[in-house]
Amino acid sequence: MTTIAKTLQATFAAPTAHKQSKLNDLLDTYRDGLQEAFDSRASTMSAVSDIVTPYDLPYQAKAALCNYVPKLRETYNARDLGDEHPIRLTNQAATFDHSEDRDYEFTWWVPRPGRGTNFWIPLRINPEQEDLWHDLVSEDAKAGEIRLQKHRKNWVLHVTVEYPVKEPETDDDATHIGLDIGETALITGCALKDGSPTDPFVCSGSRAKHLRKEMHTTLKRLQDREASEWRIEDRFSHYQNALTDIVEKASRQVVEYAKQFENPVLVMEDLTDIRERLDYGKYMNRRLHSWAFARLQGRIEDKATEAGIPVEYVNPAYTSQTCHSCHRIGRRDSQAEFRCPNDDCHVSTFQADINASANIARRVDPWGESVPLDKAERDDSPQDGSGCDTATTHREESVPTQMTLTDYEESEPSASDD
């Protein structure tokens, strides 16, 4: 068995005026406690606890504050707080109920300070997530952090859940599907049938590439102008949410593509062991530290595992410069074209990303490893410097959490790379 993590979302059914007042009081008190703890520069859980204990908050909110506040400055590098912070609660607040007799079948037991003050609130859930809500009620799925956000008059609840799925098994007659992750083409997938590339799949990366460039330019301009922290965080969240949406849709498309084949196995490049050993040049190095590509691999693996599709990782060396047919080292003169130097090979030129994905699929067979890892000393990027072909692997469980501005700043290339 393996574990998958997801974030469930629900909107409150319109609360009564009395419940709305209680929710507003809870939100105001939480933000007051958060602001005081932040302003005090409390850097430990015990220091935060001393500050928030007098506040009229449920213990689940106080415990969440004790964990969250020390991270604000040290991890998130926050200089001030915005006005839209959600209420964070520990998983001890994960009390839900279900009944088919209600108009809104699922309800949440909203925690309040004091004995006998909690109340039930009906939830409008996403129908596609209904099975997981049932698992949450039956405790077949484990709840993580809970966040409650107010958007104008609506209240939105986010619940992180973890649940087990059966480890996919590889069939002897598997169809291996190589996935090459890049920038111009975000994902190029290619199945191998009798050793030949079959029915390739391409997901454009132009939107993601545009967003990343726009994000970098916008945030740099705001930082140069010394804009307020909340404004920078607001714009960063906008871009991150848009990129996360692209990642979710693209990973879902990959799994749907794989389902059309018998006994599919998705194959991706594993860069874990060579990141410290090789210098691929500024284009590859920039991509190796790009959070979007790392997250994309993780989300593909999560969705594939959930669908019962195995995922394998292979040596990435020279996938872009090896001919998928004769296995000779050729060259990639541009982002779009691979050229084979072997006059006896039926391949002269080939679409470069499809050639790379076919090589990735072929390398599941250890006999297909035509280039030893230790010999990979050349730059694997296109000769015109237009980009590169592979992405950082994400071998651990992928949790769809919010990326921080600190993570973004660390992942961006330095001035010397441009």
Side-chain angles (χ1 to χ4, degrees):
M1 300 291 285
T2 187
T3 301
I4 297 292
K6 278 192 175 181
T7 299
L8 304 185
Q9 178 175 311
T11 303
F12 285 6
T16 63
H18 183 58
K19 290 182 178 179
Q20 182 76 264
S21 176
K22 288 184 176 181
L23 289 168
N24 287 331
D25 288 345
L26 177 62
L27 180 61
D28 291 342
T29 305
Y30 178 89
R31 287 177 175 170
D32 286 345
L34 171 63
Q35 188 70 57
E36 183 180 349
F38 178 80
D39 290 343
S40 74
R41 294 185 172 272
S43 58
T44 64
M45 295 180 68
S46 60
V48 175
S49 178
D50 290 340
I51 294 169
V52 302
T53 294
Y55 279 84
D56 197 23
L57 289 169
Y59 69 90
Q60 300 95 329
K62 292 179 180 179
L65 281 171
C66 290
N67 183 60
Y68 177 60
V69 172
K71 296 178 181 178
L72 281 170
R73 294 187 188 276
E74 296 181 9
T75 303
Y76 303 150
N77 198 30
R79 292 191 294 271
D80 53 36
L81 293 179
D83 299 326
E84 301 299 322
H85 274 274
I87 301 171
R88 283 176 164 80
L89 302 159
T90 62
N91 61 359
Q92 294 167 308
T95 302
F96 300 93
D97 186 60
H98 173 263
S99 173
E100 294 180 353
D101 297 331
R102 294 189 290 255
D103 290 338
Y104 300 102
E105 296 184 10
F106 291 90
T107 56
W108 179 43
W109 188 234
V110 181
R112 291 274 299 156
R115 185 179 297 275
T117 58
N118 293 10
F119 59 88
W120 291 103
I121 197 81
L123 301 176
R124 294 190 179 101
I125 68 164
N126 180 346
E128 295 181 359
Q129 298 179 333
E130 182 173 352
D131 289 345
L132 281 176
W133 281 104
H134 281 291
D135 290 342
L136 198 58
V137 171
S138 64
E139 298 185 354
D140 290 334
K142 180 182 178 182
E145 184 187 65
I146 296 173
R147 284 176 288 129
L148 178 60
Q149 180 75 58
K150 185 178 183 181
H151 295 295
R152 296 178 181 165
K153 293 184 179 181
N154 294 324
W155 294 85
V156 181
L157 186 71
H158 292 92
V159 185
T160 302
V161 296
E162 296 180 355
Y163 57 99
V165 296
K166 187 177 180 181
E167 193 80 43
E169 297 180 0
T170 304
D171 192 279
D172 291 338
D173 297 323
T175 301
H176 294 114
I177 302 168
L179 299 178
D180 183 61
I181 300 178
E183 285 184 319
T184 302
L186 184 60
I187 306 173
T188 302
C190 184
L192 283 189
K193 290 287 190 179
D194 299 321
S196 298
T198 303
D199 193 16
F201 156 82
V202 178
C203 177
S204 173
S206 59
R207 176 64 176 158
K209 187 176 181 179
H210 171 76
L211 282 171
R212 280 184 55 76
K213 287 183 176 179
E214 185 179 299
M215 176 172 68
H216 177 59
T217 302
T218 300
L219 296 183
K220 188 175 187 303
R221 184 172 65 248
L222 289 172
Q223 289 166 342
D224 290 345
R225 293 176 179 177
E226 297 184 349
S228 61
E229 189 71 23
W230 73 265
R231 186 176 297 277
I232 295 174
E233 288 283 358
D234 178 72
R235 298 313 301 157
F236 179 78
S237 295
H238 165 76
Y239 287 114
Q240 190 229 334
N241 289 337
L243 286 165
T244 298
D245 184 62
I246 290 173
V247 166
E248 292 299 310
K249 289 179 178 177
S251 55
R252 186 162 55 246
Q253 289 173 12
V254 166
V255 173
E256 290 303 314
Y257 166 72
K259 286 179 179 178
Q260 69 180 293
F261 300 100
E262 275 192 62
N263 304 318
V265 176
L266 293 176
V267 189
M268 294 187 284
E269 295 174 310
D270 181 4
L271 302 182
T272 305
D273 295 331
I274 65 172
R275 288 185 62 178
E276 301 298 328
R277 299 171 57 186
L278 300 179
D279 181 2
Y280 278 107
K282 63 182 179 181
Y283 300 105
M284 176 67 102
N285 288 340
R286 182 178 303 184
R287 297 271 299 284
L288 284 171
H289 294 87
S290 172
W291 74 271
F293 297 102
R295 180 179 293 186
L296 180 54
Q297 278 198 326
R299 297 304 290 152
I300 289 171
E301 182 171 0
D302 288 346
K303 288 180 171 61
T305 302
E306 188 176 8
I309 300 174
V311 177
E312 301 282 350
Y313 288 85
V314 297
N315 178 356
Y318 280 58
T319 53
S320 300
Q321 293 181 314
T322 302
C323 176
H324 70 269
S325 180
C326 70
H327 315 322
R328 289 276 296 274
I329 297 295
R331 62 179 294 146
R332 188 167 178 169
D333 294 325
S334 69
Q335 180 69 36
E337 185 178 88
F338 168 81
R339 186 177 298 276
C340 179
N342 184 2
D343 294 335
D344 296 328
C345 179
H346 74 277
V347 174
S348 54
T349 60
F350 206 84
Q351 207 286 332
D353 293 327
I354 298 175
N355 179 72
S357 59
N359 279 323
I360 293 168
R362 182 176 59 85
R363 288 190 176 184
V364 169
D365 177 2
W367 293 101
E369 294 285 0
S370 58
V371 180
L373 184 62
D374 292 339
K375 292 186 179 180
E377 298 172 353
R378 294 166 57 187
D379 189 346
D380 200 25
S381 60
Q383 298 304 307
D384 65 358
S386 59
C388 52
D389 317 296
T390 54
T392 306
T393 185
H394 190 150
R395 301 301 300 277
E396 297 178 356
E397 176 186 302
S398 174
V399 180
T401 55
Q402 293 287 305
M403 179 194 178
T404 67
L405 186 58
T406 303
D407 294 333
Y408 160 76
E409 290 169 340
E410 290 176 350
S411 72
E412 285 305 307
S414 64
S416 62
D417 286 340
D418 295 321

